[in-house]
Each structure stands twice: as C-alpha cells, then as structure tokens.
Amino acid sequence: MNPLLTKSVAEIRDAFASGDTTPLDVLDATLEHIEVTNPVINAIAYVDESGARAAAQAATDRLRAGQSLGGLDGIPVTIKDSVHAIGMPWRHGVAANADLKVSTTDAPSAARLKEAGAVIVGKTTMPDMGMMAAGVSSLYGITRNPWDLSRNTGGSSSGAGASLASGIGFGSVGSDIAGSVRLPAGHCGLVALKPTQGRIPHVAPSTMRSAGPMARNVDDLIDLYRVISRPDPRDTWSLPYEDTADIHAPLSPAGLKIGVMLDMGYGHSVSEPVAAVVRDAAAQLSAAGAVVTEMPPVFTYDPYPALDRLFQVRARTEWESIPEARRFEVLPAVADWAYGAANYSAADYSRDTDSVMRSQEFVRARSSEFDFVISPVIPTVGFGAEEVGLDLLQPLGHCSFTAWFNQTAQPVSALCFGFSTAFGTNSGMPIGIQVAGSRFADQAVLRLTKWLETHREITMDWPIDVAADKIGAA
C-alpha cells in the first residue's frame, strides 16, 4: 500500500505545498489501490478515471501556480451511488437501473466538491434504494468490511464505509435517512456526520434525509463538511452560510450536561461490549468535568411500527416507479418488506406520519434536557456480510439509535471509540458511538467529537496494519 494513502488530508496538503507530491501522484496511488483492493471488498460502484485525472491535473497546475482553491484542492474523494454527478451513472443500488443514462446535473455536494478542486474518483456502492442498513445490493452484490471480510459494512452508504476503511479516498459523501452514514462509520471504524437538515444541501429536498460526510478522522471530516455545507438554492431547506473559522478547535466538555442513552425502551437491547464502549466515553467526559447522566429508557411504548410503515411506503413507491418487467430484479428482502405498503391507505399514511411526529417530539424533548447525548450507533457488534440486518422482516429495525435523530433534524456524529474483545466472529471489530446535539449545533457536535477522538484509549492502526493486511491475505 502506498504510504501516501495512510496520511491525513492536512499531511497531503503539506506534501503538496512542499512539492513532495502532487495531486496526480496521489490519484495514481488511489487508482492503483482500487485495482488491488476493490475486487475483494466490492466498495466502488464506478470509477471516473478520465474525469478524476482531468481534475487532478487542473489541481496540480493550480498548486504550481500558487492558486490553490483551498483545503480539498487535489484531494481524492468519492460520492455515493445516490449522489448525482455529471457524466456518472445513477443506479441507486438496484439491478433494474443498471442501464440508466448518466446524470446530467451535479447534486449540491458534488457541485461543492468540484468548486473546491476535490478530485472525485468515482461512486460507492449501496443497497437497493438505500432502504437497508447493510452492504447487500441486487446490482452490486455484497460489500465487505475491511476489518473482517466476513462481516457487514452497514448501510446504506456501505461502499463509502468499506472504501475509506481500506484506504480508498480521503473522504466520502453519503446520505442518511435512518443512519446511513453513521451506521457504516460504526461498522467500519470511521467518523461521520448526519447534519441538521438543510445544513448540507441535498436533492430532492427532505425533512429527514441528508447528505453527510464520512472520513477516517475528525479533522478530515471537518474539511469535507466545510465545503459541502455551503448553501444551495435547489434544496428548499438549505441554511445560510456559516462561519467555520474555529471549527477545528476541540470543545472542552467541562461543565456540559451529557446524557447517556443506552435504552430506547423498545427494539434490540444493547450488547455488553457496545455498552462498555459508550460508558468508556461517558467516563472520559465525566473525568473532564462534564455532568454525565445515564438516561432512563427513552420510550414508554413501541414507536417503531409507524416509522417502519413510512419507510415501507417510501420503498414501495420507488419499486412501483421501476418498469413492471424489471421489478423482479429488486432485492427480495426490500421488495418483500415493502409489499405490505400496497395495502395502506392515504389515511393510514397520515396517521403514521402524525404518530412519528409525536414520537420525534418525544425524542427531542428528552434530548433537550442535555447539551449533548451520547449513545451507540448500533446495539450490537455488527452482523454477517451476507445478512440484510438483525431482522429480515424489518431491514431497518436495528437502527433505533440512529433513525430518530433524522426525524428530529438534530446533528449527530459517529466516532469509533473502541473495539470488541469478544472471541469469535466479532473479535477486534470497531464499535462506534454517537454524539447528538441540538439543531444547528453541527459545529459544536464536530468539536466535541474531536475532543473525544483525542481522548479515546485506542490506536487506529488501519488502513495499512489492519484492513490492508486482511485484504492481502484474502
């Protein structure tokens, strides 16, 4: 593995400035690494070599002329299959979309990356319609976790998680409707942010789906956030420009009120290895002067059926948009789950929407008692690569700790804070925590996440010592 690919974005920028390397050199190393790595992990859906080479050449010329466009100029990144980019195919993870024409517009995040001089190498894999929190797709097959090829990447930004963990690219843009950037970050040992809705523009506009950055460390994540969070009028929820001058400074937890959420009151229970990692984070915050309180169960009832039905309707709607002769190509786990939505009425949908809105206010009110809430990303230490989740009948059912923050529109980060020490298939796998803040507090969430990153008692030896070695042995 080329040592360039193990560096941070800041280190690459320094190497550009000193003349030790160029954007073309880093792109070449990235493309070579994709050739070796992707056949094993299956994370890259499309490589735009000609477009990436043109962007890298332009960045090299700018840097030589002293006309850098900023922090991401010449840095290789990827975008999710669901993010439109001119000249690249948009397939949404579905085999029935395999021969769709290429995109003719840039989504907001793709446009901002290009404006900043980033080198978009290509697109990453995802499950069908983004409606599973797993790395299984009717079009792309199984995307594998570089930490252990028998384990799942999570989803739906599955390829983004696997590619970053294996050393492909220095950042990736995914999208998150129930945890889809945080879940792969949790499975793959990364950092990610689901922003306040509107902080990172996305199309089509949505009150619960957001584009979100993913990276290997918080500073790289922040660099990506600063670019893709710039406003775009095509998203009707797009927020005004924000000053990010101090965003890299860690936020001291002294005096902060921190809630620890370990029980949603329904769904899958948190396994002991996951709970232990969350409590480790809580202990670090407490030792630094935060007032840390373990929260009682969030819900006193089961709110998930209504939310699950709304997701079913969403999946069924897209399934019906596919030509009838090709609908059989949708992954059965998604198609079968969405089948029940065919029998729901408009009144059913309205009642479920009202129910979800009541539940989201319940979560918001509980969270508002604290400055920040920390919780697991997923309740267990992952699952097998071929599985679609912890429950075949509810492919998003294990997203209880992530999905409700999409409904409340709060910003939430994910950060690897430990590893499983259990024997067997889960040994040595990353365990992620979430950091949730109040709406519009995206920068504060990132800054506290950076503080936690600097105080975690683990060493991230990847990608070269862990992920690349396992890939090489496969």
Side-chain angles (χ1 to χ4, degrees):
M1 184 176 183
N2 192 313
L4 281 173
L5 304 185
T6 69
K7 296 182 181 298
S8 68
V9 171
E11 289 171 327
I12 294 294
R13 281 199 300 265
D14 289 344
F16 287 164
S18 67
D20 289 343
T21 192
T22 69
L24 282 168
D25 294 333
V26 180
L27 174 62
D28 284 339
T30 300
L31 292 172
E32 290 169 5
H33 191 52
I34 289 173
E35 286 187 14
V36 173
T37 305
N38 197 55
V40 180
I41 61 173
N42 189 32
I44 302 298
Y46 175 80
V47 176
D48 182 19
E49 182 171 354
S50 61
R53 196 164 294 285
Q57 180 65 66
T60 299
D61 294 342
R62 284 191 297 271
L63 290 164
R64 286 172 176 165
Q67 297 175 343
S68 171
L69 294 177
L72 289 186
D73 202 3
I75 302 294
V77 297
T78 59
I79 57 177
K80 189 177 179 179
D81 178 13
S82 60
V83 177
H84 284 283
I86 294 172
M88 296 191 200
W90 183 97
R91 297 164 177 153
H92 222 206
V94 183
N97 295 336
D99 55 1
L100 287 183
K101 294 180 180 180
V102 299
S103 297
T104 57
T105 60
D106 286 328
S109 54
R112 299 296 88 75
L113 288 170
K114 291 179 180 181
E115 291 164 3
V119 177
I120 302 177
V121 179
K123 288 192 159 192
T124 56
T125 59
M126 62 180 288
D128 293 49
M129 309 172 189
M131 297 309 296
M132 282 198 310
V136 183
S137 161
S138 64
L139 178 58
Y140 301 119
I142 298 169
T143 299
R144 297 185 178 274
N145 192 325
W147 290 94
D148 183 333
L149 299 174
S150 73
R151 309 304 290 166
N152 211 287
T153 59
S156 63
S157 304
S158 49
S163 60
L164 284 170
S166 71
I168 297 172
F170 295 84
S172 190
V173 176
S175 59
D176 192 311
I177 196 171
S180 292
V181 298
R182 291 162 286 155
L183 292 157
H187 284 268
C188 298
L190 306 169
V191 290
L193 177 75
K194 195 290 292 182
T196 299
Q197 259 68 12
R199 177 52 67 199
I200 297 176
H202 194 53
V203 290
S206 171
T207 57
M208 66 176 166
R209 183 193 62 217
S210 295
M214 301 172 63
R216 286 189 287 272
N217 63 71
V218 178
D219 277 332
D220 289 0
L221 187 78
I222 288 172
D223 286 340
L224 192 55
Y225 169 86
R226 294 180 76 179
V227 168
I228 65 174
S229 63
R230 295 168 186 166
D232 193 299
R234 292 174 292 171
D235 184 346
T236 52
W237 303 108
S238 181
L239 296 173
Y241 174 81
E242 63 172 353
D243 183 357
T244 58
D246 298 323
I247 193 172
H248 281 284
L251 177 65
S252 171
L256 294 176
K257 293 189 293 183
I258 307 290
V260 181
M261 181 188 291
L262 284 169
D263 189 345
M264 294 299 294
Y266 78 97
H268 299 279
S269 299
V270 175
S271 68
E272 184 50 42
V274 173
V277 168
V278 176
R279 290 192 173 109
D280 284 346
Q284 291 285 359
L285 293 164
S286 179
V291 180
V292 178
T293 304
E294 188 159 324
M295 300 167 63
V298 177
F299 288 103
T300 57
Y301 61 96
D302 185 354
Y304 188 71
L307 183 59
D308 188 63
R309 287 191 292 269
L310 293 188
F311 288 144
Q312 282 182 287
V313 171
R314 188 181 188 93
R316 179 72 182 191
T317 301
E318 185 167 344
W319 181 87
E320 290 182 359
S321 74
I322 296 170
E324 188 171 355
R326 303 200 65 171
R327 290 174 184 171
F328 74 94
E329 297 180 64
V330 175
L331 195 74
V334 173
D336 293 348
W337 165 64
Y339 179 78
N343 299 317
Y344 301 157
S345 68
D348 292 331
Y349 186 81
S350 181
R351 278 189 290 268
D352 284 336
T353 300
D354 289 344
S355 176
V356 168
M357 291 180 70
R358 288 191 296 271
S359 295
Q360 78 182 40
E361 173 54 22
F362 201 81
V363 175
R364 188 209 61 78
R366 288 291 185 93
S367 300
S368 69
E369 299 171 17
F370 305 94
D371 297 308
F372 299 91
V373 171
I374 64 170
S375 66
V377 175
I378 51 175
T380 66
V381 189
F383 44 89
E386 297 83 3
E387 298 175 40
V388 298
L390 298 178
D391 184 349
L392 183 61
L393 298 178
Q394 291 184 335
L396 298 175
H398 62 281
C399 306
S400 54
F401 285 96
T402 54
W404 288 106
F405 290 119
N406 293 81
Q407 303 304 315
T408 62
Q410 293 173 246
V412 194
S413 69
L415 169 72
C416 178
F417 207 80
F419 292 90
S420 171
T421 57
F423 293 102
T425 55
N426 285 332
S427 177
M429 293 302 292
I431 296 176
I433 64 169
Q434 289 190 114
V435 179
S438 59
R439 287 184 68 202
F440 313 118
D442 304 66
Q443 291 195 46
V445 166
L446 288 167
R447 293 176 59 205
L448 184 59
T449 305
K450 183 172 180 178
W451 186 93
L452 284 162
E453 180 185 55
T454 62
H455 287 78
R456 60 187 178 185
E457 296 178 345
I458 58 172
T459 301
M460 299 299 292
D461 290 328
W462 52 270
I464 193 165
D465 292 334
V466 178
D469 287 349
K470 290 190 176 183
I471 290 168

